[in-house]
Amino acid sequence: MAERSGEIVTEVSSARPAVWPSVSVLIAQWGNVELTGRALESVRGSRYSGELQLLVYDNDSPGGPGRELLGADVTVVEGSTNIGFGPAINQLAESAQGDLLLILNNDVILEPRALTRLVRRLVDEPTAAVVVPQYRDFDGVVLEMGSFLGPGGRGSQFMRGRRVPASLRNVGHGAHYGSAAALLVRAADFTRQGGFSDDFAPAYYEDSDLCLRLRKEERSVLVEPTAIAFHYEGATAGRDVGSGPKALQETHRVLFARRWASFVEAQPPAGHAGSLQGALEPKPGGSRVLWLAPELPSAHREAGHHRMVEMMASLTEAGHSVLACAPLGRDTAKSGSHLESIGVVWTAENATDRWSPGADEVLGTLDELLSWVSWDTVVVSFAGYAAGLTERVRKACPDAGLIVDSPDVQFVRRERAALEGLGPMPSLASRQTEIRAYRSADGVIVASEVDGSVLAAHGVGTPMHAFPVPPFQPWQSSPNPAQLLFVGNLEHAPNLDAVDWWASEIAPELVGRFGIDQRLRVAGAGTRERAGRWGDLVDVVGWVDDISVEVTQARVFVAPLRYGSGTKGKLMLAFAGGVPIVTTSIGAEGFNPRSASVMGLADEPKLFAKMVADLVVDDAAHELQAGRVSAEGRRLWEEFLLHRSELAAWVTGGFSAPGPAR
């Protein structure tokens, strides 16, 4: 993990293999030698570091194979008759020396980075047998992002002619098959399968047949959407399926449909809905998970959102397919790309900063998404949001497990705010609505055992699983820190109240009783707008690009929170940096007794000020406390890794279903 500006970014491996596998490029041609020359030039111009072997089979082209045009580095095999595409590729494969085979139409131009990205994806996915690119027309229109089969063997090219949302442009997905216009396959797999079946000679459906044979071995067919291949579609065989070579397409469809009837007849009708179902196919043993939230999670802004993203990451790492859907997305250039980095496809209705105008219609409405895809589990974050969705989810997905994720118990937070005079007391009806949402689910994810106990005390008998606010991976802090630090989004009322309380009651004690005239540094979203609110008592830092720099320089991490509920994620920064903590009982809520024991706890301003002062002036006390916090931070991190592995199993089947109020 890497911590940047409060954002936890999952580091996606982009390291090059120590030795890039060799690739044999196989092209069949009949005439159109100029096209073949352009295809070969695009391969030569690719930024690929491995060894390349260029092979062309000429199907007795009128005017000859054009050896001079193709280049001296190309091995040309001349056929005496036109044996067609599939048999020609099989002939070339027999003399191919590469670890991988790139089967390439002569009417395809590879974008310079495409081959490297295809190979990297195949290397990174040991169970993958085939990887194909995103195909585009030369005007930029999407032709195909993997293909899917329906009854009768009819195919559907995913996203053909559509605006493609960023997550689908950047997150690889599976497919039933990929067009052999640019198909990367392991040479050993191609040979073991006997290459393309002669039953589909000279062309059409041989690529679909090969992919299904490999899928039958539980090998995957993947789309790498960041690899772009431009396709002169129909340049070699035309587009008219009623005459010429393309007429074989319909004949071979019937043959293919008979051979693979048990598979194709079990699929939904070919089209966008069925293709989306296929694109979200999980790895073997995995599940399809739809994650709903009122706002696309912004892990860089809020601890609750960070927790949500970590839960999604635990699912994708375990082989599950996750789609995150929200009506609202803030700062989606950052939050969306974060989700993409962990393999989560996402959609937010207002995310026009990531999509072209109108592109929010690409994946469909929420009701369409619910009905188009056979979801195994639907997770809804925040009970208030879940309350309005339960009936829709149950109706559209009667066989899916429904889980409510509770970042905190909202009615508890609101009641505590009211007791501090910081808001109205929530109505009994609002509390009952929240509790009803928990009861109507098949399972509830809580942020701490404390929250689980609160819900149980209010009669929630739904199976629960605790997933804590994620800690940060420990790092080494500065040996001589100086500042007092508070981190928090001041658009969140409990954080704003905490700084108000510090300025009005704690800071005067520090100055008057202990002679410590040290400003509190406040970092986080929403702070700049309040720069003058506390005069000289507070330095408003605002949003920072790397919050770890602030934490590393902190001598004491303070969290004077007077209300709120759930585990306070900001304290995880202090644990990771080994910075002594002074907080309140509310601030420590949600932490286990061992973690709470290494914090300084004070609910009264004079005691709070004394604890801070002791850590400021006493180097020995500071060093001792920093060591205890650092050790606990390491333990929290190791414990959290276990939580991540346990969650995926629970979310996708470990809870009891149906729920009490199904």
Side-chain angles (χ1 to χ4, degrees), residues 14-15 21 49 52 99 156 161 190 222 326 367 392 403 426 479 486 578 624 659:
S14 59
S49 300
L52 292 174
D99 302 310
S156 174
F190 190 82
L222 302 178
D367 287 327
R392 291 167 69 184
I403 293 177
F486 175 81
L624 176 63

Side-chain angles (χ1 to χ4, degrees), residues 84-164:
F85 174 77
I89 294 299
N90 287 345
Q91 289 278 342
L92 293 179
E94 290 181 4
S95 56
Q97 299 172 357
D99 302 310
L100 310 177
L101 306 180
L102 177 65
I103 301 168
L104 193 67
N105 269 17
N106 69 338
D107 56 2
V108 166
I109 302 294
L110 296 179
E111 190 270 339
R113 296 163 293 186
L115 181 55
T116 296
R117 290 172 173 176
L118 290 171
V119 172
R120 177 176 287 148
R121 186 73 192 280
L122 196 59
V123 169
D124 286 347
E125 299 279 355
T127 62
V130 167
V131 178
V132 293
Q134 174 189 159
Y135 293 105
R136 291 184 187 173
D137 204 340
F138 280 82
D139 61 3
V141 173
V142 174
L143 297 174
E144 178 186 340
M145 292 179 65
S147 292
F148 297 89
L149 295 158
R154 290 177 173 82
S156 174
Q157 295 167 313
F158 189 41
M159 286 291 154
R160 184 180 180 90
R162 291 176 175 264
R163 296 186 182 97
V164 182

Side-chain angles (χ1 to χ4, degrees), residues 513-577:
R513 291 180 60 200
F514 304 104
I516 298 174
D517 188 10
Q518 189 168 348
R519 296 181 179 185
L520 175 68
R521 289 177 67 83
V522 177
T527 57
R528 285 292 186 194
E529 298 83 344
R530 298 166 177 84
R533 184 182 180 103
W534 303 285
D536 294 335
L537 296 172
V538 174
D539 279 336
V540 176
V541 179
W543 182 263
V544 294
D545 290 333
D546 187 349
I547 193 65
S548 66
V549 173
E550 292 292 329
V551 177
T552 297
Q553 293 300 316
R555 186 170 180 87
V556 185
F557 193 103
V558 302
L561 295 157
R562 294 194 291 177
Y563 74 100
S565 68
T567 307
K568 313 307 181 293
K570 58 176 59 60
L571 298 185
M572 294 298 188
L573 287 166
F575 278 113

Side-chain angles (χ1 to χ4, degrees), residues 44 184 203 281 294 308 329 352 444 476 486 497 522 599 631 639 648:
R44 294 186 187 102
L184 186 71
E281 182 178 28
M308 218 186 306
T352 52
V444 176
Q476 185 65 43
F486 175 81
D497 174 70
V522 177
M599 306 179 197
E639 183 180 75

